[in-house]
Amino acid sequence: MPTTTASAVCTTVGNNILLRLTSGERDVKLKALRELKNQIIGNRTKKLSFLKLGAVPAVAGILSDAVSAVDVADNDENDRIVKDIIVQSAAVLGSFACGFEAGVRAVLDAGADILIQRGCLVEEMPLLKSYMEVVDAGARSLKMIYQSKMAPKYDFLQEENMEFLLSLLNNESENVSGLGASIISHSCKTSLEQKLLFDAGVLKRLTSLLGGSLIQRDASLESIATIFKNNPEVVSQFVGPDTGRTLSCIIEIVKDRFARTRLLASLCLIVIRNASPCYLQDVGIKTKLINNLLELLDDPGRVGDEASFAFSSLIAEKEDMQKLAFEVNGVDKLYNHLQKGSLHPRRFEGILLALADMCSKLECCRSRCLSLQVLKLVVDALAHDSSDVRSAACMCLRSVSRSIKNLSAGSFMNETIVIPLVRLLDDTSTAVQVAALGAISNIVVDFTTRRSTFIRLGGVKLLVQLSKSMDSTIRLNALRALRNLIFLAEDKCKEEIFMELTASLLASLICDPEPSVQEQALALVRNLVDGRINSVEYIFAEDGIILDAVGRQLRIASKAEIEIQGMYVLGNVATGKESHKEAVMDQLLLRAENKAQSCIIKFLQSNDSRLRTAAVWAVLNLTCSSSPGSSGRLVKLHDAGIVSHVKNMVNDPCLDVKVIYFSSLSGFLIVVLMVCLMTSRFSLVQLRVKTALEQFNSFDDSLV
């Protein structure tokens, strides 16, 4: 006889169960429901098989009929059977939804979530008071549904919904109150919703549940964190004199014996601190949080997978927290977990991101990573099957490569690192491409002569290709990488990059619809024309199409960052030949349509000191006394009213001294500049204005 396949057996069993679900006898239905529940619990394969057979709509129909039959049950026995059918139907539907998105979708499509709420949890139903197991079964099932992102968003703005939520939270059943907390964690997303929940007294009820069962405590911690997230107003009202005891309670829970509870308590404290940094400043508490999260990495389950993400949220962009983490050997502990190998992708990703955050600001963390040879494991992760892991590896590499010391030593510009990074520029995941571009942007700022390695491996071709992407984020990051690659590059390197880019592409990127892309394109051109006179010639390629684009953007731009980069481009070009200087003059003095004054005057009057500095620097380069055409340009500047504006800036109020750009200064002038800045209260604007006025005075006094 032919052997029956496992699939055929499963289908036969499934059809048999579904056939019995349609029976007119309630006992038969009840037994079929129990059998179906036992078949699918914890078994995704069987869940999928029964989904294909239409089990969810069938069970939803049974639940609907049972709920309708509640009021007409004619004796205790029928009442008991109806109750059991409701309990088992809810359990089956909850099992389909548990950790199975296709099951959640099927349950929602069948309207079963509404049936469960109406049949099990609405107070008007007579079974609510008679059979608590009905209530618990409904609550458990809805909790499973609300654990999914696909679950419907609960509308807290409706008064009856808020009343129902409060009735759930006030219920003595841990499953029912836990459902209320789960609804909050799933649906509370806006500051308005957070405020509504706070004003309705939800937080007070949640804090009272901290002393309840394990289920209630965990659900309460998760909901409290949701209501606090990014809302300093709610945090400040909660963490006041009257509620300080609750905060102390959460701090104490961090030492709980259950790993998940410790994690949730830690997350709650992290959310409070991130929303309002003035709280939880005690070094002992911060150190306790760090140690707790590092210890939770040892948990073999989901808690261990999530602990590193909580750790990242605690230390991200916080140098003091990163220093504390370093002092308790955070880098070493994360590295030890990486060494274990065969990590779950989620855990692998989290550890890499935690290392990235630790190395984002502190050189000691970067040095420790390099000494432990973490870089080898990170580079290996660039080829991982999971796109999330590849992206995290790029972010980690980006943070570690912020080390000027190791960039100067050429530690990152080698084929072992560059080859896998270049490959990721062609990754199928946009997130990976963006992360790889971020890492490359750092690595190509190489202070050795190894940039040719990146070019030889096809890196420039791919960057130029990505600069044409339809995705503005990719264009932006590709341009940033090219900008850094060309920074202080040798002439040959610049030539190769420019040949790939072309003048027409650069001009179009300068006029990109996205302001951030415009800024990076101008910054790239600024670095391109910086240096010797032959570098300035690039801006005049193809009949000066790039220069025209720069001038056009300066006349129409409304974003200061674009104007600053554009002015530095012209300032660099103004260091060139007489013809270069005259071309800059033409752009600066040209007025935009419907404008009463040229852009240079607007920039000299700007409230942004960086823009005023860039504008004065361009004027200074145009009027350098060693240039034969300076006097003629000074006359033009005087007639345009620019000289008088520069004179008025001699006492510029700016005291925020930031040396933005030194590459066009001589070594001697750099020294003089730094001495002046260290020994006086001159602003950079003032210094450049005085230099410009000295140059003006070398010509005919009548002009000024």
Side-chain angles (χ1 to χ4, degrees), residues 620-662:
L620 190 152
N621 287 344
L622 288 169
T623 57
C624 180
S625 58
S626 62
S627 179
S630 295
S631 58
R633 285 189 291 276
L634 186 57
V635 170
K636 292 179 182 179
L637 292 172
H638 179 275
D639 292 344
I642 294 169
V643 171
S644 61
H645 280 289
V646 175
K647 285 185 65 177
N648 291 334
M649 295 172 66
V650 69
N651 294 315
D652 191 279
C654 173
L655 296 175
D656 182 18
V657 180
K658 293 182 180 178
V659 181
I660 302 171
Y661 180 66
F662 285 113

Side-chain angles (χ1 to χ4, degrees), residues 191 194 224-239 266-281 313-314 316 318:
S191 58
Q194 291 169 327
I224 289 172
T226 300
I227 296 173
F228 283 159
K229 190 173 184 180
N230 300 324
N231 197 321
E233 181 185 354
V234 171
V235 169
S236 63
Q237 290 183 55
F238 176 80
V239 190
S266 298
L267 284 168
C268 200
L269 294 177
I270 291 168
V271 166
I272 290 173
R273 189 175 190 277
N274 287 348
S276 298
C278 59
Y279 299 112
L280 300 172
Q281 286 295 319
S313 66
L314 176 63
K318 304 179 192 75

Side-chain angles (χ1 to χ4, degrees), residues 219-263:
S220 178
L221 286 168
E222 196 167 4
S223 298
I224 289 172
T226 300
I227 296 173
F228 283 159
K229 190 173 184 180
N230 300 324
N231 197 321
E233 181 185 354
V234 171
V235 169
S236 63
Q237 290 183 55
F238 176 80
V239 190
D242 298 332
T243 50
R245 193 160 56 89
T246 304
L247 182 59
S248 299
C249 176
I250 297 174
I251 294 172
E252 193 64 25
I253 295 175
V254 171
K255 297 186 291 186
D256 195 273
R257 65 191 180 95
F258 293 102
R260 174 170 162 75
T261 304
R262 294 206 307 276
L263 175 62

Side-chain angles (χ1 to χ4, degrees), residues 96 145 211 236 254 339 406 410 480 499 571 644:
F96 270 114
I145 293 170
S236 63
V254 171
Q339 278 189 306
N406 289 287
R480 183 179 286 120
M499 286 178 64
S644 61

Side-chain angles (χ1 to χ4, degrees), residues 16-34:
N16 180 268
I17 291 175
L18 258 66
L19 181 63
R20 283 184 283 139
L21 288 176
T22 61
S23 172
E25 298 182 23
R26 288 174 175 169
D27 281 340
V28 174
K29 280 185 180 179
L30 184 58
K31 289 179 182 178
L33 285 168
R34 286 189 176 124

